Amino acid sequence: MHRSAPRLSRILACAAVPVMLVVAGCSSDSGDAKESGSSASPSAKKAEPTVEPAKFDALPDACTSIGKKTIEDLVPKTKNKGGTPGKSSDTSVRGGCSWNGLDDNGVKGSQYRWLDVGFTRFDSDQSLGSGAKRATDEYTKQVAKTQATEGAKKVSAKPAAGLGEQATSVTYGLTKSSEDFEYATLVARTGNVVVSVTYNGAGFAGAKSPSSADILKDALKAAEEAVAAVGADDGAKTSPSAKTSASPSAEPTAKASDKATAKATGKSSAKAVSKS
């Protein structure tokens, strides 16, 4: 009995050895896993490509972008030779000006003309793209919008050479206040700026309306001067850095044209009646 007790103790001690080795082995594996995890390097982030800086960082004064002589030729008897500025909360990104006039010849009839010029500039933006790309998108939208003018007849759109980097002329007829008007709109893009020129005319009190070809010819003359005015004051300034700017939208000018037309039509008709 006394000899069996020590023997039992030795057996238990030997049986415990494998258990301790197993525990130690598990502990070692756990440490290796942690070290392996901590040594893993995070994946490198891809550098975002920088956008091309915008070519122009300012717009010309819309009311002086077309020469006085051209205004006199295209809009005879204009009521405001200096033009009527369009509304804009930021003239560095959007500007416009319009002129209208009625050459009243009494019972012999009258000629009405209306001219409008608009500028829209886009800055380069890391998330939205370069100013040139954003201007290209706006150019496409304006051409499509002009072609879809409500009530327009005989719509024709053609590329216009020599105006900026891309340009389109859109001609069409439109009946307003019982008069037939001929319209021509030139939409052009130069760098990060979109230029839009709209010219229309009609004959009142029996006078013959201008031809579509004549209206387009005069509209092209005004558009050439408007496009040339972009960057003319300071050369082609390049923005030092891409700026963040909400995409401006060109405000429609049809309402202003309609008001001026209605007023001119009433005036011409009244005079024609009194003199007849």
Side-chain angles (χ1 to χ4, degrees):
M1 293 293 294
H2 294 286
R3 295 179 61 185
S4 61
R7 183 180 180 185
L8 180 58
S9 299
R10 287 196 299 271
I11 292 173
L12 292 175
C14 292
V17 171
V19 176
M20 294 174 64
L21 292 175
V22 172
V23 173
C26 293
S27 177
S28 176
D29 290 343
S30 177
D32 291 342
K34 288 182 180 180
E35 290 180 5
S36 175
S38 62
S39 62
S41 60
S43 58
K45 294 182 179 179
K46 293 183 179 180
E48 295 183 2
T50 57
V51 296
E52 178 186 5
K55 185 176 182 180
F56 301 107
D57 60 6
L59 289 177
D61 180 346
C63 290
T64 60
S65 63
I66 299 176
K68 293 182 178 180
K69 181 63 169 61
T70 300
I71 298 298
E72 291 176 0
D73 292 341
L74 270 58
V75 191
K77 302 296 179 67
T78 179
K79 292 185 294 183
N80 184 1
K81 293 183 179 181
T84 302
K87 294 181 179 180
S88 176
S89 58
D90 188 348
T91 55
S92 70
V93 297
R94 183 173 61 236
C97 193
S98 63
W99 300 260
N100 70 85
L102 180 70
D103 188 1
D104 192 348
N105 295 305
V107 295
K108 294 182 179 180
S110 304
Q111 289 292 331
Y112 173 80
R113 296 292 185 273
W114 186 79
L115 175 66
D116 175 87
V117 59
F119 296 91
T120 311
R121 186 183 65 83
F122 295 84
D123 285 316
S124 293
D125 185 281
Q126 188 66 37
S127 60
L128 299 176
S130 69
K133 177 186 178 301
R134 298 176 67 195
T136 299
D137 293 341
E138 176 64 18
Y139 161 82
T140 303
K141 290 178 182 178
Q142 288 196 29
V143 171
K145 184 177 180 180
T146 302
Q147 289 178 280
T149 298
E150 184 177 358
K153 299 174 291 184
K154 298 181 180 180
V155 180
S156 176
K158 297 179 180 179
L163 290 176
E165 292 165 56
Q166 56 185 150
T168 299
S169 67
V170 182
T171 58
Y172 56 95
L174 196 63
T175 300
K176 300 188 299 181
S177 303
S178 301
E179 303 291 348
D180 294 326
F181 284 74
E182 289 296 336
Y183 272 77
T185 294
L186 273 297
V187 183
R189 179 185 69 82
T190 175
N192 57 311
V193 175
V194 177
V195 182
S196 176
V197 171
T198 296
Y199 183 56
N200 69 62
F204 292 159
K208 185 179 179 180
S209 292
S211 68
S212 175
D214 286 342
I215 289 293
L216 176 59
K217 180 182 177 181
D218 289 342
L220 280 168
K221 181 179 180 181
E224 288 173 355
E225 294 184 17
V227 172
V230 178
D233 293 338
D234 52 9
K237 284 187 177 180
T238 301
S239 297
S241 61
K243 301 176 183 178
T244 301
S245 175
S247 175
S249 59
E251 296 182 354
T253 55
K255 290 184 179 180
S257 175
D258 290 344
K259 289 181 180 179
T261 301
K263 187 174 181 180
T265 304
K267 178 181 178 182
S268 178
S269 299
K271 287 188 176 181
V273 171
S274 63
K275 293 181 180 181
S276 59

